[in-house]
């Protein structure tokens, strides 16, 4: 199954997940007031060096920027029009740095560790009688299944084009929704069949419809 | 005379019915499975998948009683997971974690083991099957057969007494299928397997043939499989 995690070991894999997330949080606050284009450019360079230090497979992951490029271009144009090209460049660079660093954390952190790291953040939910572990599990599952859903879209597009479909990709929204719901049913069954997550106390019956 | 020991090591259905969307999926099924290797066959839509999901509580019957080695699946799949291991058709639907070690530890942590012990047990079962190098591997880098092996190990590590397999080999090539069958043959667990590959079931102890939610035939592979084959062969012109 596809996953964002990269097994290729590196020094970044060894850092505690909490430290990586905290670092990203700190950086995103610190970068906010930076108005120096050179400094921001340097940050992007630093980010790219970080990718390089993790190894070739990480550098290949930079390709995630390709589908984002039109979006960045659009933001840049809009911002140039409203606040000028310097602010526009700053904004786009800042976004690039943060997205790339966040992606790097996802690539080098095991789901287990990610879950333990973010569980304390949801501690206040205990007040509402919601188990923080369950929410943390849901969040990590979400990260985990992003590439799976991307693959589902890919398959649907192939099936669409194989029968002569034109570029009206939005029509895939409904089959994608159906497939996602089916997928989540399968995952729920698999979770339940291996004891669910340890905090589920009352058994719930799957809604999956076997043939 | 039934021995008490045998009593607890069997799966018993007593007048079990299951209704889904106003249609009877399973009709008043009564049987006792006390053999080691049980195969379930039947055409698509005959109720096979529903039947095995009743055994570990993923589905609950609308009427009737089920007992699995003395336990009632009405406690739900979470609690039944200690007793019954379930292998699904598509490994991609049941592998939840990105690395092999996390995947194998998951069920153990649910059983209440500490993270450390879960990890030790996961590594131990990998070593036992000569796959120690798999622990840190990303599951998406494995082949389909290897993924299915991870699924099987992830369930075996929980030490269930019954293993249910819902068409586990349908996406695998013949060699991989034989290799996994060798592994299954060596297991002490009671096995209930749905399969469309009749050859796989030839060495089993008993075959249930389901048709429209009823047991159409029940017997040894030598009795049931040739008839099943003949009934399907009629449709080939």
């Amino acid at each position: 199954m596809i996953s964002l995690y990269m097994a290729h070991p590196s020094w970044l894999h060894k850092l505690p997940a909490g430290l990586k997330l905290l670092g990203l949080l700190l950086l995103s606050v610190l970068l906010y007031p930076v108005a120096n284009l050179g400094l921001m450019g340097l940050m992007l360079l630093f980010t790219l060096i970080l990718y390089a230090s993790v190894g070739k497979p990480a550098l290949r992951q930079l390709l995630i920027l390709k589908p984002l490029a039109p979006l960045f271009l659009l933001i840049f144009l809009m911002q140039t029009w409203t606040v000028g090209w310097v602010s526009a460049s700053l904004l786009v660079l800042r976004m690039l740095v943060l997205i790339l660093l966040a992606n790097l954390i996802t690539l080098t952190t095991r789901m287990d560790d990610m879950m333990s790291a973010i569980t304390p953040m949801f501690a206040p939910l205990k007040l509402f009688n919601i188990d923080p572990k369950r929410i943390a599990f849901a969040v990590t599952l979400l990260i985990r299944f992003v590439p799976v859903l991307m693959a589902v879209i890919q398959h649907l597009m192939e099936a669409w084009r194989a029968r002569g479909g034109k570029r009206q990709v939005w029509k895939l929204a409904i089959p994608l929704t159906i497939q996602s719901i089916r997928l989540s049913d399968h995952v729920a069954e698999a979770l339940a069949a291996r004891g669910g997550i340890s905090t589920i106390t009352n058994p719930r019956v799957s809604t999956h419809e076997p043939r | 005379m039934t021995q008490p020991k045998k009593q607890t090591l069997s799966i018993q259905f007593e007048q079990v019915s299951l209704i889904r969307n106003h249609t009877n999926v399973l009709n008043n099924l009564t049987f006792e499975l006390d053999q080691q290797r049980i195969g379930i066959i039947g055409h698509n839509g005959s109720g096979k998948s529903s039947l095995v999901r009743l055994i570990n509580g993923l589905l609950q019957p609308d009427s009737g009683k089920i007992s699995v080695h003395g336990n009632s699946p009405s406690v739900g799949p979470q609690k039944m997971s200690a007793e019954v291991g379930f292998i699904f058709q598509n490994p991609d639907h049941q592998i939840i974690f990105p690395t092999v070690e996390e995947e194998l530890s998951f069920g153990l942590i649910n059983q209440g083991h500490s993270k450390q012990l879960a990890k030790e047990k996961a590594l131990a079962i990998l070593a036992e099957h000569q796959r120690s190098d798999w622990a840190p591997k990303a599951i998406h880098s494995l082949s389909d057969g290897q993924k299915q092996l991870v699924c099987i190990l992830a369930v075996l590590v929980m030490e269930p007494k019954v293993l249910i397999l819902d068409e586990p080999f349908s996406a695998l090539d013949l060699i991989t299928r034989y290799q996994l069958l060798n592994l299954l043959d060596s297991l002490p667990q009671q096995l209930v397997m749905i399969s469309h590959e009749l050859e796989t079931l030839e060495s089993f102890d008993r075959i249930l043939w389901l048709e429209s939610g009823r047991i159409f035939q029940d017997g040894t592979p030598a009795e049931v499989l040739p008839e099943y084959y003949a009934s399907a062969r009629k449709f080939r012109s």
Side-chain angles (χ1 to χ4, degrees):
Chain A
M1 191 180 239
I2 327 143
S3 138
L4 287 173
Y5 177 76
M6 205 171 60
H8 177 79
S10 78
W11 65 273
L12 207 53
H13 283 78
K14 291 190 192 95
L15 281 188
L19 198 68
K20 284 186 268 191
L21 289 172
L22 215 62
L24 182 68
L25 184 74
L26 211 65
L27 194 72
S28 60
V29 175
L30 288 177
L31 278 186
Y32 193 71
V34 172
N36 184 322
L37 208 53
L39 192 61
M40 201 63 96
L42 222 60
M43 276 312 297
L44 184 62
L45 191 70
F46 166 75
T47 307
L48 294 178
I49 292 172
L50 221 54
Y51 267 79
S53 78
V54 169
K56 256 205 187 110
L59 280 174
R60 237 175 278 136
Q61 295 292 329
L62 287 173
L63 283 173
I64 61 146
L65 289 180
K66 223 172 118 187
L68 292 175
L71 190 71
F72 278 114
L73 190 70
L74 194 72
I75 293 173
F76 180 76
L77 291 175
M78 291 282 286
Q79 291 288 314
T80 307
W81 187 48
T82 51
V83 290
W85 71 271
V86 177
S87 298
S89 311
L90 274 172
L91 180 75
V92 168
L93 282 176
R94 187 160 56 220
M95 278 172 63
L96 272 175
V97 168
L98 291 178
I99 289 175
L100 285 176
L101 287 178
N103 184 50
L104 195 60
I105 292 177
T106 317
L107 285 173
T108 58
T109 309
R110 285 163 33 125
M111 196 170 144
D112 251 1
D113 301 334
M114 188 78 89
M115 213 152 67
S116 322
I118 63 173
T119 304
M121 289 197 314
F122 297 104
L125 286 174
K126 272 187 198 153
L127 290 173
F128 305 100
N129 223 357
I130 300 168
D131 191 329
K133 261 195 200 147
R134 296 186 65 165
I135 308 299
F137 192 66
V139 171
T140 36
L141 268 186
L142 180 79
I143 300 173
R144 165 75 187 79
F145 278 94
V146 165
V148 179
L149 289 175
M150 305 247 276
V152 171
I153 295 175
Q154 193 67 39
H155 289 149
L156 284 172
M157 292 241 274
E158 279 170 8
W160 176 264
R161 284 204 221 104
R163 282 178 290 158
K166 302 272 158 19
R167 284 197 64 90
Q168 287 163 296
V169 183
W170 60 272
K171 285 190 178 163
L172 293 178
I174 291 168
L176 177 67
T177 310
I178 294 170
Q179 292 231 8
S180 319
I181 292 170
R182 282 188 61 91
L183 179 71
S184 59
D185 261 349
H186 286 304
V187 174
E189 266 199 327
L191 279 171
R194 273 193 295 153
I197 61 170
S198 43
T199 52
I200 295 177
T201 41
N202 44 340
R204 288 195 51 197
V205 178
S206 157
T207 54
H208 173 64
E209 296 267 349
R211 284 145 300 150
Chain B
M1 224 181 89
T2 333
Q3 292 163 341
K5 198 183 167 203
K6 193 181 165 192
Q7 187 83 21
T8 52
L9 279 178
S10 73
I11 299 169
Q12 293 160 335
F13 274 53
E14 219 181 292
Q15 296 182 313
V16 171
S17 293
L18 178 73
I19 300 162
R20 294 184 77 76
N21 294 332
H22 310 289
T23 47
N24 278 351
V25 181
L26 296 171
N27 283 309
N28 207 16
L29 293 181
T30 300
F31 57 79
E32 178 176 355
L33 306 174
D34 53 7
Q35 292 81 2
Q36 270 292 85
R37 301 285 183 258
I38 297 133
I40 298 181
I41 56 174
H43 304 305
N44 291 335
S46 58
K48 305 184 299 289
S49 285
S50 297
L51 183 118
V52 292
R53 277 166 174 76
L54 288 171
I55 297 177
N56 80 333
L58 276 172
L59 291 175
Q60 299 291 340
D62 290 280
S63 61
K65 260 175 66 183
I66 303 170
S67 160
V68 178
H69 293 207
N71 303 284
S72 166
S74 62
V75 296
Q78 275 91 5
K79 292 216 173 83
M80 282 307 283
S81 66
E83 206 68 32
V84 184
F86 203 110
I87 315 282
F88 296 86
Q89 181 174 4
N90 187 344
D92 282 350
H93 287 158
Q94 63 184 311
I95 293 174
I96 297 150
F97 290 84
T99 65
V100 175
E101 184 195 306
E102 287 172 281
E103 183 66 20
L104 296 192
S105 305
F106 175 67
L108 293 168
I109 292 168
N110 289 334
Q111 285 184 332
H113 294 298
S114 72
K115 260 190 170 177
Q116 188 55 38
L117 185 64
K119 183 180 171 170
E120 281 167 22
K121 281 184 172 235
L123 295 180
I125 200 164
L126 283 172
E128 195 186 314
H129 292 90
Q130 293 87 43
R131 298 289 193 286
S132 289
D133 56 317
W134 280 14
K137 272 197 180 173
I139 291 181
H140 66 85
S141 69
L142 303 177
S143 72
D144 284 342
Q146 291 170 331
K147 281 183 200 165
Q148 195 56 287
L149 179 57
V150 170
C151 293
I152 294 173
L153 293 183
V155 163
L156 285 182
V157 77
M158 298 172 74
E159 297 173 356
K161 295 176 189 70
V162 187
L163 211 56
I164 294 172
L165 302 109
D166 186 356
E167 295 181 44
F169 306 136
S170 44
L172 304 182
D173 63 48
L174 201 54
I175 296 172
T176 315
R177 190 184 305 163
Y178 286 155
Q179 284 167 341
L180 288 179
L181 271 173
N182 287 341
L183 167 65
L184 293 179
D185 281 344
S186 70
L187 297 177
Q189 275 89 354
Q190 186 180 24
L191 237 65
V192 180
M193 175 148 89
I194 298 178
S195 183
H196 288 298
E197 298 110 24
L198 303 187
E199 186 207 342
T200 301
L201 301 174
E202 276 168 6
S203 60
F204 276 42
D205 304 316
R206 180 171 169 188
I207 306 290
L208 293 185
W209 174 358
L210 240 60
E211 214 54 74
S212 317
R214 290 196 170 80
I215 293 177
F216 186 68
Q217 283 205 20
D218 180 356
T220 64
E223 291 161 358
V224 180
L225 293 182
E227 287 207 42
Y228 182 73
Y229 183 74
S231 82
R233 192 71 182 79
K234 283 192 302 216
F235 292 93
R236 180 79 170 98
S237 50

